[in-house]
Amino acid sequence: MAVGPDTINRQRLTRQARGSKAYQDGLSAEEAVSSACIKEGWVILLKRARTYRGEIDIVMRKGSLICFVEVKKRQTLRGATECLGASQQRRLFRAAECLLATHPHWSYEELRFDLIAVDEQHAIHWVKDIIRQM
């Protein structure tokens, strides 16, 4: 059975709408996480920090610790905490290397990679030290 142009256009529009909603959900989750971190005494250094090696959602500092944060929004907290794969961990690590090289004025004694999960009810679960490579 052949698929007509109307069907193809509807499928394309449906994918675009899902992608746009996911993007907006991600921005909303990142803002909620940023606000929660600030309330806990963190200083946000960068948001959506882009490098040629990848992007890090939030870079923040507390005392002598710099933390690179990946924010994941899913229907459940469990789903969000389980979706950081090995290739994405490598990308985050490499992006952090680039950021440290381009910001030599950042002084730190410790670096950490955290995952902060957000579910559909806006509950937040913080997984500290999710990548241990340093």
Side-chain angles (χ1 to χ4, degrees):
M1 182 170 133
V3 177
D6 289 340
T7 301
I8 291 170
N9 284 334
R10 273 194 307 275
Q11 290 172 342
R12 182 177 51 80
L13 292 173
T14 300
R15 278 193 309 273
Q16 286 175 343
R18 274 195 316 259
S20 179
K21 181 182 179 335
Y23 178 77
Q24 291 303 319
D25 284 349
L27 288 177
S28 174
E30 288 171 16
E31 281 305 312
V33 166
S34 292
S35 294
C37 292
I38 290 168
K39 286 179 185 173
E40 290 194 23
W42 290 90
V43 174
I44 305 297
L45 300 174
L46 297 170
K47 291 183 186 179
R48 295 196 156 233
R50 292 179 188 216
T51 74
Y52 72 96
R53 303 297 296 270
E55 180 181 289
I56 296 181
D57 295 330
I58 301 170
V59 181
M60 57 190 188
R61 152 180 267 131
K62 192 177 208 181
S64 63
L65 168 66
I66 291 181
C67 187
F68 301 95
V69 178
E70 179 69 12
V71 177
K72 291 291 186 185
K73 174 137 193 285
R74 298 291 187 272
Q75 287 185 334
T76 65
L77 289 174
R78 183 177 181 171
T81 57
E82 292 177 347
C83 67
L84 188 66
S87 64
Q88 192 170 21
Q89 289 179 23
R90 284 190 299 276
R91 179 189 55 77
L92 289 171
F93 186 78
R94 290 179 181 137
E97 287 179 322
C98 291
L99 288 173
L100 291 171
T102 58
H103 296 279
H105 59 281
W106 288 352
S107 61
Y108 58 90
E109 291 178 18
E110 184 181 359
L111 298 173
R112 192 173 77 198
F113 292 85
D114 292 358
L115 173 84
I116 301 181
V118 181
D119 70 8
E120 288 294 317
Q121 288 73 41
H122 308 291
I124 294 174
H125 178 68
W126 196 330
V127 182
K128 296 178 181 173
D129 205 19
I130 196 146
I131 303 173
R132 174 57 70 179
Q133 294 188 23
M134 299 184 163

